[in-house]
Amino acid sequence: MAGGAVAGDDGLASTHAYESVDLGAMTAGTTTRPMREQLIRQPSSTQPVLTEVELGAKAAPLPAMEDACSLDSEEGGAIGGALASGGIDIFAPSNRLFCVGYLAQYFAVGILYSGLPATCYGFFLGYLAVPAHTYATVVVMTTLPWSFKLFFGMLNDTVPIQGQRRKPYMLIGWSVCAFFLLVLAAQPLPDPYWCVGPDGRYVKERTLPDGKTTAAEPCNADAATAGGGYALLMILAATGYVVADVAADGLTVEYARAEPEKRRGTTQTTAYLTRALGQSVASLIIGFGMNSRLYKGSFD
């Protein structure tokens, strides 16, 4: 039997003698309301006995120590071992449309990321027959906007538009990309640099009367200098989709940090898997759609 001083409901200090209880059980979270109600209040020479556990009878049972760290926060904090609070579960059934739009963006990024450079080979080097150094420059320039990814990321992190830091930049990026792709599609296609023979192949050599071969005359020599306008439009379109991709990556980081530990990495893995699928689709389209003799391919 031990004694202790606690404050009563009337704000006055009262001295109570309380019966010893299994404090180990209380710490482990195994005490329940029936156990508290069964504790016997015994009289003393001064005040009635009041058990210390009875003072917390209205409180919920104490959680076990190993479970306390994994409880969801009731005040909006990080849950389930997440690295940060906030965010939504994009894979929940209620967010299905959001998930479709989110992944569709990465799919489109994959198509352009793989499709634009792949188009350069057949069109610039085959159809227009630009010099090799010009072709290499075009390929590098279509990927140049990725060099400014850090700048674009800092921009949408520090300069919100209408209070939002991701969606406006996605809309701006895809609008710019779509506009220049439409302009590119509307450009008239010049005649190819080389003449096309009856078999669909380019005529690059001709046979002289003495049996010797020499280089054939091009049918459209101006085609080799007509690639600048097409390259510029492709670069501007690439800049637009890079801006949108950077904003999407920032959103991905926010969602990934708010993932519970049990499914950490799911958002990033799904996003980049979707982008890889887009790249594969673009490669198939270019491989089958631009593999004719006109584009240095092997299809008749």
Side-chain angles (χ1 to χ4, degrees), residues 30-195:
T30 57
T31 57
T32 59
R33 186 181 298 273
M35 292 175 60
R36 297 167 182 167
E37 294 175 351
Q38 291 174 7
L39 292 172
I40 303 173
R41 179 177 298 176
Q42 298 181 353
S44 66
S45 58
T46 55
Q47 296 290 340
V49 174
L50 183 63
T51 63
E52 192 172 33
V53 180
E54 280 186 315
L55 296 175
K58 295 182 180 181
L62 297 175
M65 189 62 66
E66 61 271 17
D67 296 333
C69 296
S70 62
L71 294 177
D72 294 352
S73 171
E74 298 178 356
E75 300 178 357
I79 63 174
L83 300 177
S85 59
I88 63 174
D89 181 8
I90 65 171
F91 302 107
S94 58
N95 296 322
R96 184 171 302 169
L97 292 179
F98 176 85
C99 182
V100 170
Y102 171 76
L103 295 179
Q105 172 165 271
Y106 276 99
F107 185 80
V109 168
I111 289 179
L112 293 171
Y113 181 73
S114 178
L116 285 180
T119 304
C120 294
Y121 174 78
F123 180 67
F124 287 96
L125 201 59
Y127 191 88
L128 298 180
V130 300
H133 67 275
T134 302
Y135 160 72
T137 301
V138 172
V139 173
V140 172
M141 292 299 290
T142 56
T143 58
L144 181 64
W146 289 103
S147 302
F148 300 96
K149 187 172 183 178
L150 175 62
F151 170 76
F152 293 145
M154 294 175 59
L155 186 65
N156 64 59
D157 277 340
T158 59
V159 185
I161 300 176
Q162 297 294 322
Q164 296 182 327
R165 295 179 292 114
R166 310 301 181 197
K167 185 185 296 184
Y169 288 97
M170 293 181 190
L171 294 176
I172 292 173
W174 285 119
S175 297
V176 170
C177 180
F179 174 77
F180 286 110
L181 287 178
L182 289 175
V183 173
L184 179 63
Q187 296 298 304
L189 194 65
D191 293 331
Y193 181 85
W194 297 107
C195 298

Side-chain angles (χ1 to χ4, degrees), residues 7 12 75 78 83 143 193-194 200 234 236 240 244 259 266-267:
L12 299 178
E75 300 178 357
L83 300 177
T143 58
Y193 181 85
W194 297 107
M234 294 174 70
L236 293 175
E259 285 181 322
T266 302
T267 301

